[in-house]
Each structure stands twice: as structure tokens, then as C-alpha cells.
Amino acid sequence: MRSTKWVAGFAAVALSVGVAACGSNNNSSTDTGSGASTSAASSGAKAKKIALLLPESKTARYESQDRPNFVNKMKTLCPDCEIIYSNADQDAAKQQQQAEAAITQGANVLVLDPVDGASAGAIVARAKQSKIPVVSYDRLILNTGDLDYYISFDNEKVGVLQGTALVDKLKKDGKSGSVVMINGAPTDNNAKLFKQGAHSVIDKSGFKVAKEYDTPDWSPDKAQSEMEQAITAVGKSGFVGVYAANDGTAGGAIAAMKANGVDPKKIPITGQDAELAGVQRIVAGEQYMTVYKAIKAEAEAAAQLAYDVSQGKTPDAATVNGKTNNGQADIPSVLLTPVSVTVDNIQDTIIKDGFWKASEICTGRFAAGCKTAGIQ
Ligand code: GAL
């Protein structure tokens, strides 16, 4: 049985992206998008069913960026296509059921961001039985030769950008000593790559790693308790910086620092996703950096790929710009470039791209920081 709390959470999310019809009890919906153009109405696109299966809702990007951008692009490409949408709330078994439900509903292609990259091969195998192509979205589905495409960012580079920003800042401030590492979910192949990229920089920087944790479910609450444990173990002055794999975990770590009398303004901490709360913490000086990934470009490219595949068209060779080995095969890939962001380039990246407006960032207590940084 689904809890009341969850149902209420989904209702809020559904409203925010203009869903017309909700699934009964499968955390799923038929998504019509908002403000979609109908310019392709006469393009001859065949009405197909496209399933978008996202992994979680604690990280803001999925409901606020990935989903609406995917839906809007798909509606432009194919006004008559139907989108079957589900969010697995970090539950791999639930995601498997959602995928099966999408197949039963007649999905012609699955765009799957796996909760668990290793076990999601079973979903690909099931889809293959029904001759349904699968696009691995943002996170790689491992150890299957049946996967059709993979679309993501250069995820090891994300970790390199985070590690480099942290180490350079500490060196610039004349610091030496240890850092704490709060990594992402052990079930997420991206988290492994972020960690690998960050270690490749930190391990040869002269800074030691005092404590390191993998954070189940990417949960900000769990990141908070990991940081509490680190502070208890090494003491308030036992670390000079924190590697946090994304903005959600950074938020948890910062809450733990504040609760223990450690000033986050004096301890640089990394992030990722350019979540509004993360960008605001950067403006306020509480978080040092984030990694901006152009999620709109990623979601739109995924919609284009899914559309092409569902219509039996060959995707544009210029878009499919690489191959990624998933342990069993080289999967044709679309790989986008992540960008390191501190207070100095928020204007030229996030705001320039329209990812967030200055008016969204610079509210209330963040107005002063924006003014100092010239963000407008
Ligand atoms: C990763 C994703 C990140 C972050 C994280 C938590 O796979 O690439 O952008 O959101 O999951 O969901």
C-alpha cells in the first residue's frame, strides 16, 4: 500500500508540471506537458507511446527539469504521442514494476534512468522480449548487450571538476590537512564515476581523506548523518574541506556542520546539479561550487532519440557522439559536457542559459550576496 504522505507528494509534483491525467496507483501518469507547441502536427509523426522512467524525487532535477523538458520536447516533435511517466522514488523493485506496467500499456520505447544500474539489466531483457528499445538516461544500465542508446554527461569529468575546484580553493587559501568525502549512491554507476574522478585529483593533491562515505539513495538526510559521524570521529577542526557529490548531499553535510558549530563559510564544499538551493548557498557563501549540467539539453536530446527510435528513424550521427562500454557491449552514446560553477560564473553559465533567473536566485536573504557578486 502506498503511504498517504507519498500520494500527497506526488500530487504536488503532478500539479507543478501540468499533468492532465494521473495513473491510479502506480506513481505514474500520462503526461501532456505544458506550453508544448503543436508545430509538428502535420509532420507525419506516428502516434507512439514513450515511457519516461525516472529514479527519485529527493534530488530536485528530475521533477523540475528532466521531466518537463523531456515532455515539452516530445510534444513538439510528436503532438499525438503519449508519454507514460513514472518516478521510482529510489526503489529499484518499484522501478521494475513501473517498467512492466509501461510495457503492458503498450510503450514503444523506454527511456530509463535506473535506480540500480546493475539490476536494471532485467528491465532491458524484459523489454527486449517485447522488441521494445531502451535508452539509458543519465545513468548507465550495466552488463547488457541489449541496450540501444545511452545519454549522459562525461561523469568522470564531473568528479574531476569537483575535486579540482576543492583542491585549488584550499591551496589558494593556504590550507593543508584532510577532507571528508560524501559520495553518492553505491547503486548508481555515475556515483562511482564522480568518486573516481574526484579521487584522481584529491589523491595526488597532498590532501588526505579523513573519512569517506557512500550515501545510500543519494539521501540528503543520510549525508547529514554521515557528516555528523565524520565530525564526531575527527573533531570540528579535523577537516579543511568537504567533497559532496551533489547539491542534495552538500545540503545535508552543511546542515550537520551548522548543527555542530562548524562554519560552512570557512570550509569549502562541493556540489552538483545547480539546484536552486545549491546556487543560493553559493551566493550566500555556504557552498563553494556546484557542477552545472545542461539538463534541458540532455532531456531534449533524449526525447529526440526516443522519438527517432519509436518512429523507426536512425538518430542523427552528429548527436550520437561516442560509445560507452557497460561491461558487456559498447553502447552508442550521446555525451554532454559538465561545467564547474562558483559564485564568479553563475551569471555566465546558469543565468545566461536560462537554467535559473536572477530573480529566482536572489530572493530574500540571498539578495545581498547577489548584489556583491554582480548577479542580475
Ligand atoms: C546522478 C545524477 C546526478 C544526481 C544524482 C542524484 O545519477 O547524474 O545529477 O542528481 O544522480 O540523483
Side-chain angles (χ1 to χ4, degrees):
M1 279 296 278
R2 190 143 287 115
S3 76
T4 320
K5 192 174 158 223
W6 177 85
V7 171
F10 178 66
V13 159
L15 279 176
S16 73
V17 294
V19 169
C22 290
S24 50
N25 64 350
N26 190 40
N27 192 10
S28 303
S29 68
T30 300
D31 229 330
T32 60
S34 49
S37 141
T38 52
S39 59
S42 57
S43 70
K46 298 183 220 74
K48 296 284 179 181
K49 293 186 180 176
I50 320 282
L52 177 64
L53 305 164
L54 296 183
E56 56 132 326
S57 44
K58 283 195 177 174
T59 301
R61 58 169 286 181
Y62 301 107
E63 296 296 339
S64 71
Q65 302 282 346
D66 297 86
R67 177 186 185 178
N69 283 311
F70 183 95
V71 169
N72 288 337
K73 176 72 178 178
M74 187 58 79
K75 285 294 155 188
T76 310
L77 294 167
C78 183
D80 295 332
C81 285
E82 184 187 318
I83 295 174
I84 302 167
Y85 175 75
S86 296
N87 189 313
D89 282 323
Q90 266 308 353
D91 182 338
K94 184 164 160 181
Q95 187 165 60
Q96 169 105 33
Q97 288 161 11
Q98 291 174 335
E100 274 161 20
I103 292 171
T104 307
Q105 285 172 61
N108 298 105
V109 55
L110 303 187
V111 178
L112 171 61
D113 190 338
V115 172
D116 181 337
S119 71
I123 298 177
V124 180
R126 171 68 192 86
K128 182 79 181 176
Q129 278 174 7
S130 302
K131 300 196 169 48
I132 301 168
V134 181
V135 176
S136 188
Y137 183 68
D138 197 70
R139 300 178 184 171
L140 186 58
I141 302 169
L142 301 172
N143 298 320
T144 165
D146 291 334
L147 188 59
D148 294 86
Y149 291 97
Y150 169 54
I151 173 158
S152 191
F153 289 81
D154 179 339
N155 291 303
E156 185 158 354
K157 172 128 191 247
V158 170
V160 169
L161 293 176
Q162 294 169 318
T164 304
L166 182 63
V167 162
D168 287 356
K169 167 73 175 155
L170 290 170
K171 286 189 174 160
K172 186 169 149 243
D173 291 349
K175 297 280 173 61
S176 59
S178 300
V179 299
V180 172
M181 290 185 74
I182 310 276
N183 302 306
T187 48
D188 176 358
N189 187 61
N190 285 354
K192 192 177 113 199
L193 297 172
F194 303 149
K195 180 172 162 179
Q196 205 168 292
H199 267 294
S200 74
V201 178
I202 294 169
D203 294 354
K204 54 172 200 266
S205 68
F207 291 94
K208 297 235 157 6
V209 178
K211 285 278 165 196
E212 175 164 12
Y213 306 87
D214 288 335
T215 310
D217 303 342
W218 285 96
S219 158
D221 299 347
K222 289 175 189 159
Q224 183 168 349
S225 55
E226 288 161 0
M227 194 65 219
E228 298 268 357
Q229 287 172 45
I231 296 171
T232 307
V234 305
K236 286 191 211 181
S237 48
F239 57 100
V240 291
V242 177
Y243 166 84
N246 75 349
D247 291 338
T249 51
I254 289 168
M257 287 197 257
K258 283 183 173 172
N260 285 276
V262 178
D263 184 356
K265 293 188 175 166
K266 297 189 178 137
I267 305 281
I269 176 161
T270 63
Q272 172 185 188
D273 288 338
E275 279 187 9
L276 185 57
V279 176
Q280 289 180 319
R281 284 192 298 265
I282 293 176
V283 166
E286 292 178 357
Q287 181 176 321
Y288 176 60
M289 65 85 71
T290 188
V291 175
Y292 167 55
K293 302 192 294 194
I295 296 171
K296 185 166 191 264
E298 185 185 25
E300 290 186 351
Q304 180 73 55
L305 258 187
Y307 169 76
D308 288 345
V309 168
S310 73
Q311 302 288 323
K313 297 184 181 169
T314 306
D316 179 14
T319 313
V320 183
N321 61 355
K323 286 198 185 304
T324 308
N325 192 282
N326 75 345
Q328 194 156 135
D330 286 334
I331 311 299
S333 306
V334 180
L335 294 174
L336 307 167
T337 307
V339 179
S340 186
V341 173
T342 64
V343 75
D344 297 328
N345 62 343
I346 288 175
Q347 184 79 38
D348 294 339
T349 54
I350 292 167
I351 293 179
K352 191 172 162 208
D353 249 19
F355 195 72
W356 296 114
K357 296 191 189 80
S359 60
E360 292 168 311
I361 299 168
C362 305
T363 54
R365 74 179 181 98
F366 305 107
C370 281
K371 199 164 176 219
T372 312
I375 294 168
Q376 53 189 359

